Amino acid sequence: MILSTHAIVGGAIASLFPLHPAAAAIAGFASHFAIDAIPHWDYPLHSISLGKGANNRRLSFSRATLRDLSIIGIDACAGLGLALWMFAAEGSIWTIAIGASTAMLPDALQFAHTLYPRGLLHVLQRFHWWIHSKRALTGLFGVGSQLAFAGTIAVLARNIH
Ligand SMILES: [Zn+2]
């Protein structure tokens, strides 16, 4: 799923135990894989590749790369901002930020794997590929269903406490 959705889910989970940042970190990280297993939409990248066998070691600094990086950056910042805005209360800001960030982290590790496909990174990447849904949703239905998913999680989490 897109980074914003991961951040919202990670933040929502972290909001359930605002005083336990370590638990929020672990649960946020695990949530990434759990929701990637659901068929979903992802925006296309034009320069950076993340698929199986992807190799970004020769990534050039082109317009397309800059565009990809901007989209990823906006997506991540929007996700972190939304998670903090929706779930952070006094005293829990750091826990929410940790949950949202660790929920996005596996995709950063996925990129790291395209540069260095070895060791623990490779083990994790194999799991990520294995669990990631093979069914890609497209078009308006893809975007809409992911928006609805993130919205539902946010409303549920806000109503639990
Ligand atoms: Zn992922």
Side-chain angles (χ1 to χ4, degrees):
M1 299 218 188
I2 71 169
L3 295 174
S4 297
T5 306
H6 282 299
I8 289 169
V9 172
I13 294 171
S15 74
L16 303 180
F17 26 83
L19 302 175
H20 301 280
I26 295 166
F29 193 77
S31 77
H32 185 106
F33 302 100
I35 69 167
D36 259 359
I38 304 168
H40 60 271
W41 164 82
D42 273 313
Y43 48 78
L45 292 171
H46 298 283
S47 171
I48 296 171
S49 49
L50 290 176
K52 217 167 184 167
N55 179 349
N56 289 303
R57 265 169 284 183
R58 281 162 199 259
L59 200 65
S60 65
F61 201 73
S62 65
R63 239 186 133 97
T65 310
L66 206 65
R67 214 189 118 204
D68 283 354
L69 288 174
S70 317
I71 293 172
I72 292 168
I74 291 168
D75 186 12
C77 291
L80 184 61
L82 280 168
L84 287 172
W85 175 62
M86 287 191 279
F87 306 115
E90 210 175 321
S92 71
I93 294 171
W94 283 108
T95 312
I96 303 298
I98 288 168
S101 305
T102 54
M104 295 189 278
L105 184 62
D107 279 342
L109 295 176
Q110 174 153 253
F111 179 74
H113 177 263
T114 68
L115 304 175
Y116 185 78
R118 312 219 192 294
L120 210 59
L121 267 182
H122 191 58
V123 176
L124 190 72
Q125 188 54 37
R126 284 186 61 156
F127 176 67
H128 204 155
W129 278 326
W130 173 77
I131 201 152
H132 195 279
S133 170
K134 309 294 177 283
R135 234 186 100 207
L137 303 185
T138 55
L140 211 58
F141 176 69
V143 179
S145 58
Q146 190 157 155
L147 214 63
F149 173 76
T152 306
I153 297 287
V155 170
L156 278 178
R158 282 181 64 108
N159 283 302
I160 282 176
H161 31 83

